[in-house]
């Protein structure tokens, strides 16, 4: 019986009833002989309400103060959760990110964890307490300012604490039963995955699966912390994410050829039209984008038209960064020497992920055949060793996902719809 | 141009509009060349909402976690206030009580400030920032846990910071224009006091005046920090509370003979009936009360009836402590040997306060004459060097206050009603 880190998202602690339900679950883990450390997000809509208040006093809230504001959310949920646990006759203490030793850099609103020094948490659990830690927040190493970790930050807090405390497992409780072979809102026959490797999970996360964020999985892989994604609303086993397949009964769960189909409609496509087809042009373009601190995803350069000596370069990026990218390119127009820019936010990306791809040469062909069979036109293609992604029209995405899911035999036998939602932060 | 500490109560920052209004006022002080440190309470009803949430998850919220919860309130208001100031083009940084160096003992929910180490605040203002500090909260010296200071705590935070930073003045902004000669809700002709000594203010505060709490004034007197109580809704000068009279034009404001009339209907009276009239009886009674950690106010022992050798002992205490006191006395019944207990929560206290009493022997007589003229019956009397208090029926209090106010020439010429409310925490 070792130490367990549990993380509960905002939807699991949305109201007093939710907090009491979660408290019972935590106490059950404690009764089973585990030391328990809990990471909790802000209650339901708290964060949105705080953001709304901030916008009322200032159109562009400042980073440092915005973090100070948002961290009030976890302070409320963690204190209430500790009270609810104490009300069940068990000892609990709540700790802010700073008190828990979550040390970050100084990039407000999306800080990165540099170190975790969980001395107070260790002492608290060794004294028999259940330790409740505020997710999503830390304290900056240099200035000792309060920071927040950005979207999905509470998951990262949980994994980082699990690593620092050498926990047996990090349980991520959410409002879905686990990681699915596709988004169950799109594919009714999506199946819950019992086990998935860190690598496949990383590809799914970066391809649009929202259950776990890339950063959290990356952290877990680096420190080899098994993650168990499961629902706080049911008692079901969820999805294990780890290096080695889990055992079920007498045998290990086998590595699937294909883990799942992910999709993403949050990106836009920028095409730089009429770029001189000479060395160094792409470098100038992507330096301009990088200087504007924009992360891009896929990049494709068309074959140059021999008659003009000009080519087009397309790339995808989050829609939220579109305006910034266009502005950055316009400023660099003379240096690059392109003719025009095209911006298209009606695109979608479909990705097939699975380590089995490496040794199953038919996968790529099967993927394109499925898309073709569904009448879906492909605009861009990008591949990694264990993933193949295409860009299509946004309107085609759902149909494409279903076709691919069926083609690779991922459909479950059951027809039951699964309720699916966000995981909070 | 020195350093000014300003404190704004919850009613002054009740919503986004209030926060923006307060931000402008703060910026004005900064523009006038002052270094500005601001202490802020939680917004309007935030604290009540948090308490309501706590009660939903646990009937008896635990001290440590309850403090963690409540301190979310100031975190929200201070971050928003800093954003609003930055939006006006000035630099601002918010700090929690812990970050501001407010060190307290470990008595959760009503901690006392032990020390203030405002290094970060000093650095922040020296760098040109306006520093915003969370009122009402600190961090415990031994355990490094978050604590709250109890009712009126934000005022104490402001005065303690002013002392630690050697500020020129501590401005307490509230929703009234200052300290009045009586509660304007009761006495329409109450006058705003321009200056009042620490001593008189202490007596008013302990006699029921709610504008400043006793602890805050006591702290200001100890470190000789002038307090300026004024409205955040008007530009008017308020009331100065200090050792030495302020100057107005060419001359000092004169020490008034009578500062004001305070009243208090929050107390109850306990009478221990039929106590043997022998040495040590009172000691046993009040030891039982003290052991129950109950603070009492007035004490009166009746003249013993010669025929029985028994006497009655009465004392007043906050109504909220009534149940506890009765229980404590019942437990000690055998040791004390009384006949019965009487509990009366329909009492009120009227107090006349003024350093001039010491040298004006007619004051006491005038006080009783005014009460007699208003037909008010006196049940208990208690005096200090600069205060005289009586207990009456609660129903008589308002009439008694008005009669005394008029008798001592405190009525203003103006008939204008003054809006009066609480000061938050």
């Amino acid at each position: 019986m070792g130490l367990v880190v549990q993380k509960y998202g905002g939807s699991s602690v949305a109201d007093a009833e939710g907090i009491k339900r979660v408290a019972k679950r935590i106490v059950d883990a404690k009764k089973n002989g585990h030391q328990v450390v809990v990471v909790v997000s802000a209650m339901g809509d708290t964060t949105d309400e705080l953001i709304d208040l901030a916008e009322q006093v200032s159109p562009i809230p400042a980073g440092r103060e915005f973090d100070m504001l948002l961290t009030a959310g976890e302070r409320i949920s963690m204190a209430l959760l500790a009270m609810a646990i104490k009300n069940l006759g068990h000892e609990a203490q709540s700790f802010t990110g700073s008190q828990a030793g979550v040390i970050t850099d100084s990039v407000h609103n999306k800080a990165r964890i540099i170190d975790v020094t969980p001395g107070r948490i260790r002492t608290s659990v060794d004294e028999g307490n259940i330790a409740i830690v505020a997710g999503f927040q830390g304290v900056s190493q240099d200035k000792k300012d309060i920071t927040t970790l950005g979207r999905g930050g509470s998951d990262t807090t949980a994994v980082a604490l699990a690593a620092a405390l050498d926990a047996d497992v990090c349980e991520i409780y959410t409002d879905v039963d686990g990681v699915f072979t596709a988004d169950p809102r799109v594919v009714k026959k999506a199946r819950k995955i019992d086990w998935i490797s860190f690598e496949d999970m990383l590809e799914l996360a970066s391809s649009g699966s929202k259950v776990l964020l890339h950063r959290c999985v990356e952290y877990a892989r680096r420190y080899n912390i098994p993650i168990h994604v499961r629902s706080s609303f049911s008692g079901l086993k969820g999805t294990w994410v780890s290096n080695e397949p889990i055992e079920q009964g007498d045998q290990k769960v086998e590595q699937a050829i294909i883990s799942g189909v992910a999709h993403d409609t949050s990106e836009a496509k920028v095409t730089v039209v009429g770029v001189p087809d000479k060395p160094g042009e792409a470098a100038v373009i992507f330096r301009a984008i990088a200087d504007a601190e924009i992360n891009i995803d896929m990049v494709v350069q068309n074959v140059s038209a021999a008659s003009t000596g000009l080519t087009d370069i397309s790339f995808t990026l989050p829609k939220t960064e579109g305006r910034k990218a266009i502005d950055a390119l316009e400023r660099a127009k003379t240096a690059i020497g392109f003719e025009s820019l095209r911006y298209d936010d009606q695109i979608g990306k479909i990705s097939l992920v699975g380590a089995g791809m490496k040794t199953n040469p038919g996968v790529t062909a099967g993927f394109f055949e499925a898309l073709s069979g569904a009448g879906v036109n492909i605009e861009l293609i990008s591949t990694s060793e264990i993933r193949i992604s295409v860009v299509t029209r946004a309107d085609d995405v759902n149909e494409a996902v279903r076709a691919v899911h069926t083609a690779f035999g991922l459909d479950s036998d059951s027809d039951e719809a699964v309720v699916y939602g966000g995981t909070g932060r």
Side-chain angles (χ1 to χ4, degrees), chain A residues 128-189:
Chain A
N129 298 297
I130 294 164
I132 315 289
V133 179
F136 179 67
Q137 59 178 249
V139 61
S140 70
Q141 192 167 39
D142 51 351
K143 293 186 186 161
K144 310 294 174 217
D145 283 334
I146 303 304
T147 54
T148 65
L149 307 177
R151 229 189 94 63
S154 290
D155 289 358
T156 311
T157 303
V159 171
L161 264 175
L165 291 164
D166 198 21
D168 293 346
V169 59
C170 178
E171 296 183 334
I172 307 276
Y173 284 93
T174 177
D175 49 9
V176 290
D177 285 337
V179 181
F180 282 75
T181 51
D183 183 339
R185 284 171 304 190
V186 172
V187 181
K188 283 207 176 135
K189 295 194 165 188

Side-chain angles (χ1 to χ4, degrees), chain A residues 76 80 153 186 216 226 244 258 311 313 356 372:
Chain A
I76 293 169
L80 291 171
V186 172
C216 155
E244 289 296 317
I258 298 299
T311 187
I313 294 180
S372 162

Side-chain angles (χ1 to χ4, degrees), chain A residues 277-343:
Chain A
D277 191 5
K278 60 177 206 257
E281 278 301 301
V284 179
I285 289 172
F286 292 107
R287 172 52 57 201
I289 295 295
D291 287 349
E293 296 195 339
I294 296 165
N295 287 320
I296 60 170
D297 182 17
M298 296 163 75
V299 179
V300 171
Q301 177 168 348
N302 291 1
V303 177
S304 168
S307 58
T308 60
L310 297 177
T311 187
D312 300 342
I313 294 180
S314 296
F315 59 92
T316 62
L317 77 179
K319 282 177 189 169
T320 51
E321 304 279 26
R323 185 72 257 161
K324 214 160 58 162
I326 297 293
D327 289 348
L329 290 170
E330 288 289 359
R331 279 196 304 275
K333 183 164 187 177
T334 317
I336 304 169
F338 59 82
E339 289 179 349
S340 64
L341 295 174
R342 277 209 300 269
Y343 181 76

Side-chain angles (χ1 to χ4, degrees), chain A residues 26-74:
Chain A
I26 294 167
V27 166
D28 284 345
K30 175 80 176 167
K31 281 183 186 162
N32 285 338
H34 296 290
Q35 288 191 321
V36 187
V37 174
V38 176
V39 174
V40 67
S41 301
M43 293 169 72
D45 301 327
T46 309
T47 304
D48 289 341
E49 287 165 18
L50 292 174
I51 291 172
D52 183 50
L53 270 175
E55 285 169 352
Q56 285 180 47
V57 301
S58 173
I60 310 160
R64 179 187 188 280
E65 304 309 322
F66 199 58
D67 281 354
M68 185 69 95
L69 178 73
L70 291 189
T71 52
E74 290 82 32

